[in-house]
CSV table of all heavy atoms in Angstrom, one decimal:
chain,number,residue,atom,x,y,z
A,1036,ASP,N,0.8,-1.2,0.0
A,1036,ASP,CA,0.0,0.1,-0.1
A,1036,ASP,C,0.9,1.2,0.0
A,1036,ASP,O,0.7,2.1,-0.8
A,1036,ASP,CB,-0.9,0.1,1.2
A,1036,ASP,CG,-2.0,-1.1,1.2
A,1036,ASP,OD1,-2.3,-1.7,0.0
A,1036,ASP,OD2,-2.6,-1.3,2.1
A,1037,VAL,N,1.9,1.2,0.9
A,1037,VAL,CA,2.8,2.4,0.9
A,1037,VAL,C,3.5,2.6,-0.5
A,1037,VAL,O,3.6,3.8,-1.0
A,1037,VAL,CB,3.9,2.1,1.9
A,1037,VAL,CG1,5.0,3.2,1.9
A,1037,VAL,CG2,3.2,2.2,3.4
A,1038,LEU,N,4.0,1.6,-1.2
A,1038,LEU,CA,4.6,1.7,-2.5
A,1038,LEU,C,3.6,2.3,-3.6
A,1038,LEU,O,3.9,3.2,-4.2
A,1038,LEU,CB,5.0,0.4,-3.0
A,1038,LEU,CG,6.3,-0.1,-2.4
A,1038,LEU,CD1,6.6,-1.6,-2.8
A,1038,LEU,CD2,7.5,0.7,-3.0
A,1039,LEU,N,2.4,1.9,-3.5
A,1039,LEU,CA,1.3,2.4,-4.3
A,1039,LEU,C,1.0,3.9,-4.1
A,1039,LEU,O,0.9,4.5,-5.0
A,1039,LEU,CB,0.0,1.6,-4.2
A,1039,LEU,CG,0.0,0.1,-4.6
A,1039,LEU,CD1,-1.5,-0.6,-4.3
A,1039,LEU,CD2,0.3,0.0,-6.1
A,1040,ILE,N,1.0,4.2,-2.8
A,1040,ILE,CA,0.7,5.5,-2.4
A,1040,ILE,C,1.7,6.5,-2.9
A,1040,ILE,O,1.5,7.6,-3.4
A,1040,ILE,CB,0.3,5.8,-1.0
A,1040,ILE,CG1,-1.0,4.9,-0.6
A,1040,ILE,CG2,0.3,7.2,-0.5
A,1040,ILE,CD1,-1.1,4.9,1.0
A,1041,VAL,N,2.9,6.1,-2.8
A,1041,VAL,CA,4.1,6.9,-3.2
A,1041,VAL,C,4.1,7.0,-4.7
A,1041,VAL,O,4.3,8.2,-5.2
A,1041,VAL,CB,5.5,6.3,-2.8
A,1041,VAL,CG1,6.7,6.9,-3.5
A,1041,VAL,CG2,5.7,6.3,-1.3
A,1042,VAL,N,3.8,6.0,-5.4
A,1042,VAL,CA,3.8,6.2,-6.9
A,1042,VAL,C,2.5,7.1,-7.3
A,1042,VAL,O,2.7,7.9,-8.2
A,1042,VAL,CB,3.6,4.8,-7.6
A,1042,VAL,CG1,3.4,5.0,-9.1
A,1042,VAL,CG2,4.9,4.1,-7.3
A,1043,ILE,N,1.3,6.8,-6.7
A,1043,ILE,CA,0.2,7.7,-7.0
A,1043,ILE,C,0.4,9.1,-6.7
A,1043,ILE,O,0.1,10.0,-7.4
A,1043,ILE,CB,-1.1,7.1,-6.2
A,1043,ILE,CG1,-1.5,5.8,-6.7
A,1043,ILE,CG2,-2.2,8.2,-6.4
A,1043,ILE,CD1,-2.5,5.1,-5.9
A,1044,GLY,N,0.9,9.5,-5.6
A,1044,GLY,CA,1.1,10.7,-5.2
A,1044,GLY,C,2.3,11.6,-5.9
A,1044,GLY,O,2.3,12.7,-6.2
A,1045,GLY,N,3.3,10.7,-6.1
A,1045,GLY,CA,4.6,11.4,-6.7
A,1045,GLY,C,5.8,11.1,-5.9
A,1045,GLY,O,5.8,11.7,-4.7
A,1046,MET,N,6.7,10.5,-6.4
A,1046,MET,CA,8.0,10.2,-5.7
A,1046,MET,C,8.8,11.4,-5.6
A,1046,MET,O,8.8,12.3,-6.5
A,1046,MET,CB,8.8,9.0,-6.3
A,1046,MET,CG,8.0,7.7,-6.2
A,1046,MET,SD,9.2,6.4,-6.7
A,1046,MET,CE,9.2,6.7,-8.5
A,1047,GLY,N,9.5,11.6,-4.5
A,1047,GLY,CA,10.3,12.7,-4.3
A,1047,GLY,C,9.6,14.1,-4.1
A,1047,GLY,O,10.1,15.2,-4.3
A,1048,THR,N,8.4,14.0,-3.6
A,1048,THR,CA,7.6,15.1,-3.2
A,1048,THR,C,6.9,14.7,-1.9
A,1048,THR,O,6.1,13.9,-1.9
A,1048,THR,CB,6.6,15.5,-4.3
A,1048,THR,OG1,5.6,14.4,-4.3
A,1048,THR,CG2,7.3,15.7,-5.7
A,1049,VAL,N,7.1,15.6,-0.9
A,1049,VAL,CA,6.5,15.1,0.4
A,1049,VAL,C,5.0,15.5,0.2
A,1049,VAL,O,4.2,14.8,0.9
A,1049,VAL,CB,7.0,16.2,1.5
A,1049,VAL,CG1,6.3,16.1,2.8
A,1049,VAL,CG2,8.5,15.9,1.7
A,1050,TYR,N,4.7,16.4,-0.6
A,1050,TYR,CA,3.1,16.6,-0.9
A,1050,TYR,C,2.5,15.4,-1.5
A,1050,TYR,O,1.3,15.3,-1.3
A,1050,TYR,CB,3.0,18.0,-1.7
A,1050,TYR,CG,3.6,19.2,-1.1
A,1050,TYR,CD1,4.5,20.0,-1.9
A,1050,TYR,CD2,3.2,19.5,0.2
A,1050,TYR,CE1,5.0,21.2,-1.3
A,1050,TYR,CE2,3.7,20.9,0.6
A,1050,TYR,CZ,4.6,21.5,-0.2
A,1050,TYR,OH,4.9,22.7,0.5
A,1051,GLY,N,3.3,14.8,-2.2
A,1051,GLY,CA,2.7,13.5,-2.9
A,1051,GLY,C,2.1,12.5,-1.8
A,1051,GLY,O,1.2,11.8,-2.1
A,1052,SER,N,2.8,12.5,-0.7
A,1052,SER,CA,2.4,11.5,0.3
A,1052,SER,C,0.9,12.0,0.9
A,1052,SER,O,0.1,11.2,1.2
A,1052,SER,CB,3.3,11.5,1.4
A,1052,SER,OG,3.4,12.8,2.2
A,1053,VAL,N,0.7,13.3,1.0
A,1053,VAL,CA,-0.6,13.8,1.4
A,1053,VAL,C,-1.7,13.3,0.4
A,1053,VAL,O,-2.6,12.8,0.8
A,1053,VAL,CB,-0.5,15.3,1.6
A,1053,VAL,CG1,-1.8,15.8,2.1
A,1053,VAL,CG2,0.6,15.7,2.6
A,1054,ILE,N,-1.5,13.7,-0.9
A,1054,ILE,CA,-2.5,13.5,-1.8
A,1054,ILE,C,-2.6,11.9,-2.1
A,1054,ILE,O,-3.8,11.5,-2.1
A,1054,ILE,CB,-2.2,14.2,-3.1
A,1054,ILE,CG1,-2.3,15.7,-2.9
A,1054,ILE,CG2,-3.1,13.9,-4.3
A,1054,ILE,CD1,-1.9,16.6,-4.1
A,1055,GLY,N,-1.6,11.3,-2.2
A,1055,GLY,CA,-1.6,9.8,-2.4
A,1055,GLY,C,-2.3,9.2,-1.2
A,1055,GLY,O,-3.2,8.2,-1.5
A,1056,ALA,N,-2.1,9.5,0.0
A,1056,ALA,CA,-2.6,8.9,1.1
A,1056,ALA,C,-4.2,9.1,1.1
A,1056,ALA,O,-5.0,8.1,1.4
A,1056,ALA,CB,-2.1,9.4,2.4
A,1057,VAL,N,-4.6,10.2,0.9
A,1057,VAL,CA,-6.0,10.7,0.9
A,1057,VAL,C,-6.7,9.8,-0.2
A,1057,VAL,O,-7.7,9.2,0.0
A,1057,VAL,CB,-6.2,12.1,0.6
A,1057,VAL,CG1,-7.7,12.4,0.3
A,1057,VAL,CG2,-5.8,12.9,1.8
A,1058,LEU,N,-6.1,9.9,-1.6
A,1058,LEU,CA,-6.9,9.1,-2.7
A,1058,LEU,C,-6.9,7.6,-2.3
A,1058,LEU,O,-8.0,7.0,-2.5
A,1058,LEU,CB,-6.1,9.4,-3.9
A,1058,LEU,CG,-6.2,10.7,-4.4
A,1058,LEU,CD1,-5.1,10.8,-5.8
A,1058,LEU,CD2,-7.5,11.1,-4.9
A,1059,PHE,N,-5.8,7.1,-1.9
A,1059,PHE,CA,-5.8,5.5,-1.7
A,1059,PHE,C,-6.7,5.0,-0.5
A,1059,PHE,O,-7.4,4.1,-0.6
A,1059,PHE,CB,-4.2,5.1,-1.5
A,1059,PHE,CG,-4.3,3.6,-1.4
A,1059,PHE,CD1,-4.1,2.9,-2.5
A,1059,PHE,CD2,-4.1,3.0,-0.3
A,1059,PHE,CE1,-4.0,1.5,-2.5
A,1059,PHE,CE2,-4.0,1.7,-0.1
A,1059,PHE,CZ,-4.0,0.9,-1.3
A,1060,VAL,N,-6.5,5.8,0.6
A,1060,VAL,CA,-7.2,5.3,1.8
A,1060,VAL,C,-8.8,5.5,1.6
A,1060,VAL,O,-9.5,4.6,1.9
A,1060,VAL,CB,-6.7,6.0,3.0
A,1060,VAL,CG1,-7.7,5.7,4.2
A,1060,VAL,CG2,-5.3,5.7,3.3
A,1061,VAL,N,-9.1,6.7,1.0
A,1061,VAL,CA,-10.5,6.9,0.8
A,1061,VAL,C,-11.0,5.8,-0.1
A,1061,VAL,O,-12.2,5.3,0.0
A,1061,VAL,CB,-10.8,8.3,0.2
A,1061,VAL,CG1,-12.2,8.4,-0.3
A,1061,VAL,CG2,-10.5,9.3,1.3
A,1062,ALA,N,-10.5,5.7,-1.3
A,1062,ALA,CA,-10.7,4.6,-2.3
A,1062,ALA,C,-10.8,3.2,-1.6
A,1062,ALA,O,-11.8,2.4,-1.8
A,1062,ALA,CB,-9.7,4.6,-3.5
A,1063,GLN,N,-9.8,2.9,-0.9
A,1063,GLN,CA,-9.8,1.5,-0.2
A,1063,GLN,C,-11.2,1.4,0.9
A,1063,GLN,O,-11.4,0.3,0.9
A,1063,GLN,CB,-8.5,1.3,0.6
A,1063,GLN,CG,-8.3,0.0,1.1
A,1063,GLN,CD,-7.0,0.0,1.9
A,1063,GLN,OE1,-6.6,0.7,2.8
A,1063,GLN,NE2,-6.1,-0.9,1.5
A,1064,SER,N,-11.4,2.5,1.4
A,1064,SER,CA,-12.4,2.4,2.4
A,1064,SER,C,-13.8,2.5,1.8
A,1064,SER,O,-14.8,1.9,2.6
A,1064,SER,CB,-12.2,3.6,3.4
A,1064,SER,OG,-10.9,3.5,4.0
A,1065,TYR,N,-14.0,3.2,0.8
A,1065,TYR,CA,-15.4,3.5,0.3
A,1065,TYR,C,-15.7,2.8,-1.0
A,1065,TYR,O,-16.8,2.9,-1.6
A,1065,TYR,CB,-15.6,4.9,0.2
A,1065,TYR,CG,-15.7,5.5,1.7
A,1065,TYR,CD1,-14.6,6.4,2.0
A,1065,TYR,CD2,-16.8,5.4,2.3
A,1065,TYR,CE1,-14.8,6.9,3.4
A,1065,TYR,CE2,-16.9,5.9,3.7
A,1065,TYR,CZ,-15.8,6.7,4.2
A,1065,TYR,OH,-16.0,7.3,5.4
A,1066,LEU,N,-14.7,2.2,-1.8
A,1066,LEU,CA,-14.9,1.6,-3.1
A,1066,LEU,C,-15.9,0.6,-3.0
A,1066,LEU,O,-16.8,0.5,-3.8
A,1066,LEU,CB,-13.6,1.1,-3.6
A,1066,LEU,CG,-13.7,0.7,-5.0
A,1066,LEU,CD1,-14.1,1.8,-6.0
A,1066,LEU,CD2,-12.2,0.1,-5.5
A,1067,GLN,N,-15.9,-0.3,-1.9
A,1067,GLN,CA,-16.9,-1.3,-1.8
A,1067,GLN,C,-18.4,-0.9,-1.7
A,1067,GLN,O,-19.3,-1.3,-2.2
A,1067,GLN,CB,-16.6,-2.2,-0.6
A,1067,GLN,CG,-15.5,-3.3,-0.8
A,1067,GLN,CD,-15.3,-4.2,0.4
A,1067,GLN,OE1,-14.9,-3.8,1.4
A,1067,GLN,NE2,-15.6,-5.5,0.3
A,1068,ASP,N,-18.4,0.3,-0.9
A,1068,ASP,CA,-19.8,0.9,-0.8
A,1068,ASP,C,-20.3,1.4,-2.1
A,1068,ASP,O,-21.4,1.3,-2.4
A,1068,ASP,CB,-19.6,2.0,0.2
A,1068,ASP,CG,-19.3,1.5,1.7
A,1068,ASP,OD1,-19.6,0.4,2.0
A,1068,ASP,OD2,-18.8,2.3,2.4
A,1069,LEU,N,-19.4,2.1,-2.9
A,1069,LEU,CA,-19.8,2.6,-4.2
A,1069,LEU,C,-20.2,1.4,-5.2
A,1069,LEU,O,-21.2,1.5,-5.9
A,1069,LEU,CB,-18.6,3.4,-4.7
A,1069,LEU,CG,-18.4,4.7,-4.1
A,1069,LEU,CD1,-17.1,5.4,-4.8
A,1069,LEU,CD2,-19.6,5.7,-4.1
């Protein structure tokens, strides 16, 4: 999961961890409901 989030957000950018974590965790948590 951590590897996926780094790639999604953008490697070498601290800001990428913020956006990647939000996108991945929200998708992981609510995708089943959708």
Side-chain angles (χ1 to χ4, degrees):
D1036 290 347
V1037 171
L1038 279 169
L1039 292 177
I1040 294 171
V1041 167
V1042 174
I1043 291 170
M1046 290 189 291
T1048 63
V1049 175
Y1050 298 125
S1052 64
V1053 178
I1054 293 179
V1057 171
L1058 291 176
F1059 185 85
V1060 173
V1061 170
Q1063 188 183 53
S1064 302
Y1065 291 105
L1066 190 57
Q1067 277 186 297
D1068 296 334
L1069 291 175

